Amino acid sequence: MTERTVLECALEFFRDTGMTTVFGNPGSTELRMFRDWPGDFTYVLGLQESVAVAMAAGHAIGTRRAALVSLHSAGGVGHALGAVFNAHRDRVPLVVVAGQQSRALLQLRPFLGADEPARFPRPYVKFSRQPERAADVPAVLAEAHRIAMAPPRGPVFVSVPEDDWDRPAHPVAPRAVHASYTADPQALRGLAARLDACAHPALVVGPGVDDEHALDEARALAERLRAAVWISPLSGRSGFPESHPLFQGFLPPVADQLAARLEPYDVVVALGAPLFTYHVHTESPPLRPGTELFHLDCDPAQAAWLPTGTSIVTTLKPALTRLTSLVAGSGRTPPPPRTPRPPAAPGALTPELLFDLLQERLPRDRVLVEEAPSHRDTLHARVRVDADGGFLTTGSGALGWGLPLAVGRALADRRRLVCVVGDGSALYSVQALWTAARHRAPVTYVLVDNGGYGAVRALGRRIGIAPVPGTDIGGIDFAALAASFGCPSAYVDDAGTLARALDRALAAEDDEGPFLLHVRVTGGDGALYAGHDAGIPWAG
């Protein structure tokens, strides 16, 4: 095999795997990676490292391929770790390549050198390594990519000393790894028999359904069973059409409320869902007596830590297809559809009014990205997402994800999407608007401004802490800020002009690039996880 440089071998591998769009923020220890940068590669600059990772994640979700991220050594990797944590929790395949100082300097603890770089991003990457020799870099990159794409997918990390790129190496021949974990046939037959015998089944759809592109299979199983369908707590993805009559709503991340929602069902099947995702503690068992849990997911670690139920480790598409063929057609009465929320009261510009208008105007096939924790319950109650892959948010809760995630997702297929982002969340990664404008990413941002960290204020009230210091934000002109980044924008604070302003924001053509609508709302802190009396979607 012909000897070439590490850089030549790496670029060839990146082409072979479709990773020719590189998201990054360059530094001195990455410069040799960019020598004679090829014309068929696109470098997407993020003005902070976590922004670059989140944009790459959006691109990976949109293309369903791993995305390539280039980070600076040590400090740059540190800046990015919040977004890497999100990618890990949301099972997004990223190949993160970080610069490192020259090998000859490492013993001297050089400026900008990374000590023990492979340990730095742990435990939120599937694979982390600095190759022992420069000649090993192409093979390590190839191994990392295969691990990133194997279920459960996720980010991987490779640290490359800056002088390695010019050293000799051999190309890595492309090869495919098709990973599909097949459920034990006897376990599926047992589950099918239990579903046939039960009176009130329910499915809990988690982010794994969307990640494995198994929405159609989940819907077919639900319809055959006439089962109630819920979305798992704080899911970062869609996975079931919310206008479907079997859809019941969103489960709460609170133990006693979750157990109460699932109490009417004798058999619950969680699909690609970490069902017991809690945000606040209550004294309650995971499930009430009489509710039996089965759990299907491709992650054996998740199956191991669940506190109750029977887990079947499998990829979902083949398992759901087989399970649907095994269960008998049901004559049971389907659950009643969830009750629509009453229209927002006229007069004030509330989140309820905003989302009612968005529901009326949002095309059913348009992707919706959300990072507005104060308003998530209201949005879920009033905006129904039906499209496969039609909803994205953070599955970890680390802020700053949504605004740049929308950029990368829009660049994946150049189709306009809508990103609903809170004022507090936007300030973590607002510089992504610069990238959106430079690359003409077709994103309509609806920035919901309630003057602070409303979700934290609401949680504080719930546990008897009010006021909460450090939760008020004010005086920021987001429309002017967006315009300074090159993103067209508008501001609205009047209910009477909101519809017209929203029409303008949503009417932008795909080739017009981003647009930001700054909406100043009244109220909107919500009653976080307060339960049925609050009229929020956790109650169904």
Side-chain angles (χ1 to χ4, degrees):
M1 188 177 292
T2 305
E3 191 172 74
R4 299 154 74 182
T5 67
V6 168
L7 177 59
E8 289 171 334
C9 296
L11 291 175
E12 183 176 325
F13 171 73
F14 296 153
R15 285 191 186 94
D16 289 340
T17 52
M19 295 192 297
T20 57
T21 300
V22 184
F23 298 84
N25 182 276
S28 58
T29 57
E30 294 80 66
L31 288 178
R32 295 175 194 248
M33 179 181 172
F34 304 128
R35 187 192 304 278
D36 300 323
W37 191 244
D40 59 326
F41 277 62
T42 300
Y43 188 92
V44 180
L45 172 61
L47 300 185
Q48 203 263 4
E49 288 86 352
S50 65
V51 170
V53 171
M55 291 192 299
H59 199 262
I61 291 170
T63 60
R64 300 191 179 270
R65 298 193 305 265
L68 180 62
V69 186
S70 172
L71 299 180
H72 193 38
S73 60
V77 176
H79 289 162
L81 284 182
V84 172
F85 171 61
N86 266 331
H88 168 76
R89 286 294 175 89
D90 290 348
R91 299 182 179 180
V92 183
L94 302 177
V95 177
V96 179
V97 180
Q100 168 67 301
Q101 264 287 12
S102 299
R103 287 184 185 270
L105 289 178
L106 291 181
Q107 181 58 34
L108 303 176
R109 303 297 191 272
F111 183 69
L112 297 179
D115 296 334
E116 301 185 67
R119 294 184 61 185
F120 200 8
R122 295 282 189 184
Y124 298 116
V125 290
K126 295 180 64 182
F127 172 96
S128 187
R129 188 171 167 191
Q130 180 170 286
E132 298 297 325
R133 306 178 305 154
D136 297 332
V137 170
V140 170
L141 288 170
E143 180 183 2
H145 176 266
R146 292 191 287 267
I147 291 173
M149 290 297 290
R153 304 191 304 172
V156 294
F157 178 83
V158 180
S159 172
V160 181
E162 58 103 15
D163 52 343
D164 280 7
W165 297 106
D166 296 330
R167 299 287 176 84
H170 293 292
V172 176
R175 67 186 187 89
V177 176
H178 299 286
S180 180
Y181 309 147
T182 304
D184 174 44
Q186 184 174 349
L188 282 184
R189 287 194 295 270
L191 173 54
R194 189 68 192 90
L195 287 168
D196 285 341
C198 74
H200 302 291
L203 304 182
V204 177
V205 171
V209 171
D210 180 68
D211 184 54
E212 297 188 40
H213 201 44
L215 182 147
D216 289 341
E217 288 79 5
R219 178 171 51 199
L221 177 61
E223 291 172 350
R224 190 164 183 83
L225 293 171
R226 297 189 178 182
V229 180
W230 295 83
I231 297 290
S232 64
L234 300 176
S235 177
R237 306 277 189 95
S238 56
F240 199 83
E242 295 174 26
S243 296
H244 197 287
L246 293 173
F247 182 68
Q248 300 297 296
F250 302 82
L251 290 173
V254 185
D256 57 349
Q257 294 181 30
L258 187 149
R261 300 296 183 277
L262 297 180
E263 186 176 19
Y265 311 110
D266 47 353
V267 174
V268 173
V269 183
L271 305 175
L275 179 57
F276 305 111
T277 299
Y278 302 139
H279 187 206
V280 294
H281 175 69
T282 60
E283 293 293 341
S284 173
L287 296 172
R288 302 281 173 83
T291 301
E292 183 179 5
L293 174 67
F294 291 85
H295 168 246
L296 276 63
D297 192 75
C298 64
D299 186 356
Q302 184 169 284
W305 69 252
L306 286 184
T308 188
T310 299
S311 289
I312 301 174
V313 177
T314 179
T315 44
L316 293 176
K317 283 180 76 76
L320 291 175
T321 299
R322 178 60 177 153
L323 185 59
T324 302
S325 71
L326 288 172
V327 295
S330 173
R332 62 175 65 94
T333 302
R338 64 174 182 160
T339 304
R341 301 302 178 193
L349 202 171
T350 61
E352 288 80 5
L353 176 62
L354 171 61
F355 296 142
D356 281 354
L357 292 174
L358 186 61
Q359 166 68 17
E360 292 172 4
R361 289 158 171 77
L362 191 67
R364 297 279 71 81
D365 63 345
R366 187 153 295 180
V367 173
L368 177 64
V369 177
E370 175 268 321
E371 192 178 292
S374 304
H375 313 291
R376 184 171 301 163
D377 52 358
T378 306
L379 183 144
H380 278 323
R382 296 178 178 274
V383 180
R384 299 200 172 189
V385 175
D386 292 325
D388 188 2
F391 178 75
L392 300 172
T393 187
T394 168
S396 74
L399 298 182
W401 181 248
L403 198 152
L405 183 81
V407 177
R409 178 62 186 85
L411 293 178
D413 58 12
R414 290 285 176 181
R415 296 180 66 241
R416 182 158 298 275
L417 58 80
V418 173
C419 177
V420 175
V421 62
D423 53 332
S425 296
L427 290 171
Y428 282 77
S429 53
V430 70
Q431 61 268 60
L433 293 174
W434 183 90
T435 307
R438 292 305 179 276
H439 289 268
R440 302 187 69 81
V443 183
T444 294
Y445 289 100
V446 179
L447 190 145
V448 190
D449 179 1
N450 65 359
Y453 300 117
V456 180
R457 290 192 296 240
L459 184 57
R461 288 195 302 271
R462 184 187 184 280
I463 61 177
I465 301 173
V468 179
T471 56
D472 293 330
I473 304 171
I476 300 171
D477 187 339
F478 286 97
L481 186 58
S484 74
F485 284 123
C487 174
S489 60
Y491 173 79
V492 61
D493 60 5
D494 174 65
T497 59
L498 176 59
R500 185 166 64 252
L502 196 57
D503 285 339
R504 163 68 184 91
L506 295 173
E509 298 292 336
D510 291 348
D511 60 357
E512 290 184 49
F515 187 92
L516 183 140
L517 178 63
H518 178 183
V519 184
R520 186 67 173 96
V521 298
T522 60
D525 283 357
L528 201 63
Y529 321 138
H532 192 77
D533 290 342
I536 61 177
W538 314 124

